[in-house]
Amino acid sequence: MERRACQFCGYLYDPEVGDSFGGIPPGTWFEELPEDWVCPESGATPDQFVLER
């Protein structure tokens, strides 16, 4: 599973972990995140995330 990094704060969205703060269960792919999901640390929107290298 590919992790995505927030361009502003470096938060890593890991599909294997999900986002407990945002109510996203483990196993949720980045592409499956709700449209209103934002980075739990910076408030960045999904289009402001990049693939982790």
Side-chain angles (χ1 to χ4, degrees):
M1 294 186 147
E2 297 176 331
R3 299 187 317 172
R4 306 280 176 123
C6 176
Q7 295 182 54
F8 296 104
C9 70
Y11 169 82
L12 290 176
Y13 177 79
D14 185 343
E16 293 183 15
V17 177
D19 172 19
S20 60
F21 179 77
I24 307 299
T28 303
W29 289 91
F30 190 81
E31 295 78 11
E32 298 173 335
L33 291 172
E35 289 183 22
D36 61 348
W37 181 85
V38 294
C39 175
E41 294 183 10
S42 71
T45 57
D47 64 323
Q48 297 169 318
F49 277 68
V50 294
L51 279 174
E52 181 189 33
R53 303 249 178 235

